[in-house]
Amino acid sequence: MLAIAFYILAAVTVVSGALVITARNPVHSVLFLILAFFSAAGLFVLMGAEFLAMLLVVVYVGAVAVLFLFVVMMLDVDFTKLRQGFANYLPIGMVVGILLLIELIMISSAVAQRGAAAGQSPQVYGAEMSNIEAIGRVLYTDYVYVFQAAGLVLLVAMIGAIVLTLQHRTYVKRQDIHTQVTRRRKDAVAIVKVKTGEGIKE
Amino acid sequence: MTDANFWAGPWGWTIITIGQALAVIVGVMVSLAFLLWGDRKVWAGVQMRKGPNVVGPFGLMQSFADFFKFVLKEVIIPAGADKPVFLIAPLLTFVLAFMSWAVIPFAPGWVVSNINVGILYLFAISSLGVYGIIMGGWASNSKYPFLGGLRSAAQMVSYEVSLGFIIITVVLLAGSMNLSDIVNKQAGGFWNWNFLGGGGLLGLGIIKLPVMFGMMVMFYISALAETNRPPFDLPEAESELVAGYQVEYSSTPYLLFMIGEYANIVLMCAMITILFFGGWQSPIPMDSIIAPGTLAYTLISLGWFIVKVVFWFIMFAIAKAIVPRYRYDQLMRLGWKVFLPLSLVAVVIIAAYQVFGGNFA
């Protein structure tokens, strides 16, 4: 049963990964990317890492990919224009692609042979510790500085994004909900008896 | 087939699980039909109308009549639509809405899949719900649905953040992500339920009471926004966007959207019940009257669960009837500038209490 589930999920992951690149419509690409994320989460479940699987779905599928889709859907891409320079860019693109592929293969083979995953299947804790506890224990003891540093990096990225987009413009009228709600009739309306032929004095 | 070990084997397990899943789906579907009727009745009652009252006694069969009306209509697919995505979108909404029910504990021991990360699973699946809407909006290749899809995506992503923090406060109180554990932790009367701070209120523990009550209110409001219900139904605001992402849908695909939407609403009611209202726990301990573990106990617990879910559903229905629609910028302001900081502070308070509270007891 596990083997069947693994092969189905793995096949879906690989095929949808391939379709991400080959799909003509960018929105379809993002949708296939989401499918790839989702089936990768399924693979995590098969390895007994259900917490990681759920995080993958919540963070990547539920938040990051939604924003991808959000942006891609609003792009107005002209494909005929995009394909015009295809032949010119093909050689350099292929060189970069092949270099990346070689690096990936070298890194992954090195990790498989000598790295953390060398020669042992992933360690599964028994019933005495759920993998949330296991991750929490490692994250907040051995790797607490790295973990905090990662948080700082994200904070810097967030501040950077805010600095780039925030513009203080003085002429913009802003709404203050508190003043709107607390506004009373007497602040805005005055009843004036107007005598005939005189009008209201300023 | 008569072998007793068969049911313990992989095939027997598969058959049992499929049976349980079917039972849950059918149960939810049938109750949805009546909840939908109840929703319309509450809505009508607030507006001093009669509501559906023709089909069957008190109009109870109205939902089934509507079902046949939708199914028998012609499926219209716009010529410019992206056909596969257009048809997958409602299916996705429908399937996701029912996937979540796998981890809901209906009564002691009555849960299809009692996984350790139950609450996270619920959160993950409900965060996927946005795809049905955004795909439907885009694939329709039409302006109003597209705007509705975009609005919905931004809205659901915004409110998920505060929803996540609110869930974390409950997880901190229960010390577990397993939904059955969260419910068991709230045993022993309504004063132990999480909306009143989850028990242990003597001394410094009293600080949990206002925090958790606020969390319950915020969860309710965020749930309204997450399920695109009024007053946050901007993705389908009829006065601005006709019907938002579902403008181009008709017949069965529309029906799937609608069932998925209502299944999500009931799921949110079940989530509030489990997280804050003690799940299937009786408000006054009944262990001394009926022995725990008997069938009667289980059925009464199921009854309590259903009563609580219906209560929250009525709250959803009333909000739909009495609250005017928010403006989009107000919605975003509420999500990011009010709920997010408040829920963050609540997480800090509850976490601090759980770690240091024992020192002052």
Side-chain angles (χ1 to χ4, degrees):
Chain A
M1 290 289 260
L2 271 180
I4 299 171
F6 171 78
Y7 283 116
I8 292 174
L9 286 170
V12 170
T13 313
V14 172
V15 169
S16 52
L19 283 169
V20 172
I21 327 172
T22 52
R24 283 167 174 259
N25 192 327
V27 173
H28 289 176
S29 294
V30 179
L31 291 176
F32 281 122
L33 185 69
I34 291 158
L35 187 60
F37 280 147
F38 195 74
S39 30
L43 289 175
F44 270 127
V45 171
L46 285 186
M47 292 179 79
E50 71 262 14
F51 181 65
L52 281 183
M54 292 307 150
L55 277 194
L56 187 72
V57 174
V58 170
V59 175
Y60 281 91
V61 183
V64 175
V66 172
L67 297 179
F68 273 12
L69 200 58
F70 202 94
V71 174
V72 170
M73 279 191 340
M74 287 195 283
L75 291 179
D76 187 20
V77 186
D78 188 354
F79 288 101
T80 46
K81 235 179 202 171
L82 212 63
R83 292 228 168 71
Q84 276 174 358
F86 185 69
N88 297 340
Y89 295 118
L90 191 62
I92 194 160
M94 276 180 60
V95 168
V96 172
I98 288 168
L99 275 177
L100 276 175
L101 184 69
I102 292 169
E103 281 177 15
L104 263 179
I105 290 171
M106 281 169 68
I107 290 170
S108 53
S109 62
V111 168
Q113 283 166 4
R114 269 164 286 164
Q120 55 181 8
S121 56
Q123 204 178 349
V124 180
Y125 284 100
E128 78 275 4
M129 193 192 270
S130 68
N131 61 49
I132 306 164
E133 283 176 63
I135 288 176
R137 187 158 295 186
V138 180
L139 213 54
Y140 289 102
T141 54
D142 297 350
Y143 298 105
V144 64
Y145 296 119
V146 185
F147 184 60
Q148 294 291 336
L152 269 180
V153 171
L154 287 177
L155 183 67
V156 169
M158 197 171 86
I159 293 172
I162 292 172
V163 169
L164 280 179
T165 52
L166 186 71
Q167 296 168 342
H168 281 290
R169 283 172 295 188
T170 45
Y171 54 87
V172 176
K173 278 192 177 175
R174 290 189 191 281
Q175 290 183 323
D176 184 355
I177 293 195
H178 180 70
T179 51
Q180 284 181 347
V181 171
T182 51
R183 190 172 130 133
R184 291 286 168 265
R185 182 184 160 85
K186 65 177 167 51
D187 306 332
V189 181
I191 295 178
V192 183
K193 290 248 168 164
V194 184
K195 280 181 187 163
T196 320
E198 285 186 11
I200 307 170
K201 276 177 236 149
E202 281 297 322
Chain B
M1 278 294 185
T2 50
D3 190 2
N5 287 330
F6 173 75
W7 296 113
W11 294 107
W13 178 86
T14 310
I15 292 171
I16 288 179
T17 310
I18 290 176
Q20 287 172 334
L22 276 179
V24 169
I25 290 174
V26 169
V28 171
M29 284 278 256
V30 171
S31 43
L32 268 185
F34 294 108
L35 284 171
L36 209 109
W37 169 84
D39 187 36
R40 293 171 68 177
K41 273 290 190 192
V42 169
W43 200 9
V46 172
Q47 297 174 345
M48 293 200 232
R49 292 183 286 115
K50 281 194 172 148
N53 64 348
V54 176
V55 190
F58 309 107
L60 271 172
M61 297 290 126
Q62 179 67 43
S63 298
F64 297 98
D66 283 343
F67 172 81
F68 285 113
K69 182 189 79 178
F70 281 126
V71 171
L72 295 176
K73 276 187 173 180
E74 185 193 352
V75 182
I76 297 167
I77 299 172
D82 188 323
K83 204 170 167 186
V85 181
F86 186 79
L87 290 178
I88 287 171
L91 270 176
L92 193 72
T93 310
F94 182 80
V95 171
L96 286 174
F98 282 91
M99 261 171 83
S100 325
W101 288 93
V103 293
I104 298 281
F106 292 94
W110 281 26
V111 48
V112 177
S113 172
N114 192 16
I115 56 176
N116 271 331
V117 287
I119 188 69
L120 211 55
Y121 172 83
L122 273 185
F123 188 57
I125 298 297
S126 77
S127 71
L128 290 182
V130 65
Y131 283 111
I133 293 173
I134 199 170
M135 279 163 72
W138 176 78
S140 300
N141 196 10
S142 162
K143 289 186 182 58
Y144 287 129
F146 185 59
L147 287 173
L150 289 183
R151 277 185 175 192
S152 162
Q155 174 177 338
M156 288 172 89
V157 169
S158 309
Y159 277 83
E160 249 158 42
V161 184
S162 53
L163 219 53
F165 279 121
I166 296 168
I167 288 173
I168 287 174
T169 60
V170 175
V171 170
L172 282 171
L173 278 183
S176 169
M177 288 198 181
N178 186 321
L179 289 170
S180 301
D181 286 355
I182 291 175
V183 173
N184 280 324
K185 193 87 177 176
Q186 303 176 57
F190 67 88
W191 50 89
N192 281 343
W193 293 356
N194 277 336
F195 82 106
L196 292 177
L201 293 179
L202 295 174
L204 196 67
I206 198 76
I207 198 172
K208 289 191 289 180
L209 195 146
V211 173
M212 290 314 288
F213 192 81
M215 286 302 104
M216 182 199 69
V217 175
M218 279 169 52
F219 192 96
Y220 168 63
I221 298 174
S222 301
L224 286 175
E226 186 76 8
T227 51
N228 297 325
R229 279 285 282 194
F232 306 111
D233 62 337
L234 290 144
E236 46 193 287
E238 68 273 3
S239 50
E240 303 163 24
L241 296 181
V242 193
Y245 61 91
Q246 48 199 10
V247 169
E248 305 289 353
Y249 282 91
S250 59
S251 164
T252 314
Y254 172 77
L255 182 73
L256 291 178
F257 259 133
M258 199 174 71
I259 294 179
E261 198 178 314
Y262 272 86
N264 270 329
I265 291 164
V266 182
L267 181 82
M268 280 293 171
C269 299
M271 264 173 94
I272 305 181
T273 304
I274 289 164
L275 294 177
F276 293 99
F277 261 53
W280 37 260
Q281 302 285 357
S282 158
I284 292 173
M286 58 177 192
D287 292 14
S288 52
I289 308 164
I290 309 165
T294 56
L295 185 66
Y297 186 87
T298 311
L299 288 179
I300 293 172
S301 300
L302 178 68
W304 280 120
F305 183 77
I306 292 172
V307 165
K308 291 170 187 173
V309 170
V310 169
F311 167 76
W312 278 108
F313 189 81
I314 291 173
M315 294 286 284
F316 268 70
I318 290 178
K320 177 180 180 174
I322 63 179
V323 188
R325 183 177 295 131
Y326 257 53
R327 222 173 45 214
Y328 201 72
D329 60 317
Q330 292 172 332
L331 173 92
M332 284 295 162
R333 176 184 166 273
L334 187 70
W336 289 108
K337 292 187 175 173
V338 181
F339 280 6
L340 183 61
L342 278 180
S343 52
L344 252 174
V345 169
V347 169
V348 171
I349 291 174
I350 296 291
Y353 176 80
Q354 293 296 97
V355 176
F356 302 113
N359 298 347
F360 302 99

